[in-house]
Amino acid sequence: RIPTIQLNKNVDNSQASDEAPGLSVDQWTVEAQSGDVTRSGQGTTGDPLSIPQGEVSLSETSDNPEAAGYGPGQWACQETPGTNGESYSSAVGATTDGEATLTVNNQDRVTCDITNIAQPGSLTWKKLDADGTTLLGGSQWTLSGPGVPAGTRVTDCVDTCASGPYEDQDPEPGRFSLTGLTWGTYSIEEAAAPAGYTPATGTFTFTQIT
């Protein structure tokens, strides 16, 4: 029996939407390199392949710019399911920027997985006086976007911000920040202006979050 390696890429697309679908596993190249031996593939290296004993460099890369919307994963390695024989002792170190070092011992058959997670989006905007520089606190905005309940209003937070979805997280009056958003296109309309002002007219649409 000889040592073998199998690499698998997994993607958590929980922040994606029908409008902005996530990437599939084959958008990443996974690779194991030991000396002159390289095992690589798009999303997976396929069936277990032979690999020399000793240190093996693991990596994942993607040419798709949308891959930047995913948080880096950690390589996790274990004995390949269904293996019979000697005790397993191979181990993998910490992952940095998709790279890690695996130590393959004896004739271990090793399977390694890495999962990247789609990161939630965020929006920021501000309410200004006619001079274009003075912030105005106290406005409310109707928000629309993927999964946003109809009629959702975002109220300007002052000092202490509430937790929960679609709550302003910027405590400075006149500045707005929404976090934890599903990917897609969002728009706002001013529902209530600060005292002494009339609401801005029209719909303001943000660049699609991906």
Side-chain angles (χ1 to χ4, degrees):
R1 201 177 73 179
I2 60 174
T4 63
I5 190 79
Q6 181 180 22
L7 305 182
N8 298 308
K9 174 70 181 178
N10 301 298
V11 181
D12 181 338
N13 280 316
S14 56
Q15 296 298 332
S17 66
D18 291 340
E19 177 195 346
L23 299 182
S24 57
V25 296
D26 59 9
Q27 294 297 303
W28 278 267
T29 298
V30 290
E31 182 177 284
Q33 186 170 15
S34 177
D36 296 332
V37 177
T38 300
R39 306 302 187 194
S40 64
Q42 298 303 115
T44 181
T45 53
D47 293 333
L49 301 169
S50 63
I51 197 76
Q53 295 176 352
E55 292 190 349
V56 179
S57 297
L58 307 180
S59 65
E60 59 149 12
T61 57
S62 177
D63 295 329
N64 193 315
E66 293 183 8
Y70 290 78
Q74 294 284 314
W75 283 104
C77 300
Q78 61 182 351
E79 184 176 33
T80 300
T83 301
N84 294 316
E86 300 174 5
S87 61
Y88 176 87
S89 62
S90 297
V92 63
T95 304
T96 302
D97 296 329
E99 299 182 353
T101 299
L102 165 70
T103 302
V104 176
N105 296 325
N106 305 315
Q107 286 75 47
D108 285 351
R109 294 168 56 83
V110 187
T111 295
C112 296
D113 296 85
I114 188 168
T115 301
N116 285 19
I117 301 174
Q119 299 300 287
S122 61
L123 299 176
T124 61
W125 71 94
K126 52 190 175 182
K127 173 68 176 179
L128 300 174
D129 200 350
D131 61 13
T133 59
T134 303
L135 289 166
L136 295 177
S139 60
Q140 288 187 346
W141 300 78
T142 300
L143 176 72
S144 61
V148 179
T152 294
R153 284 196 178 190
V154 180
T155 301
D156 191 7
C157 168
V158 178
D159 296 329
T160 303
C161 300
S163 60
Y166 317 122
E167 296 284 356
D168 178 24
Q169 297 302 304
D170 193 322
E172 184 175 0
R175 291 185 181 274
F176 293 81
S177 174
L178 298 184
T179 59
L181 300 178
T182 299
W183 294 357
T185 302
Y186 291 81
S187 60
I188 54 174
E189 296 181 3
E190 190 168 19
Y197 293 83
T198 57
T201 58
T203 300
F204 303 90
T205 301
F206 296 88
T207 302
Q208 185 188 71
I209 295 174
T210 55

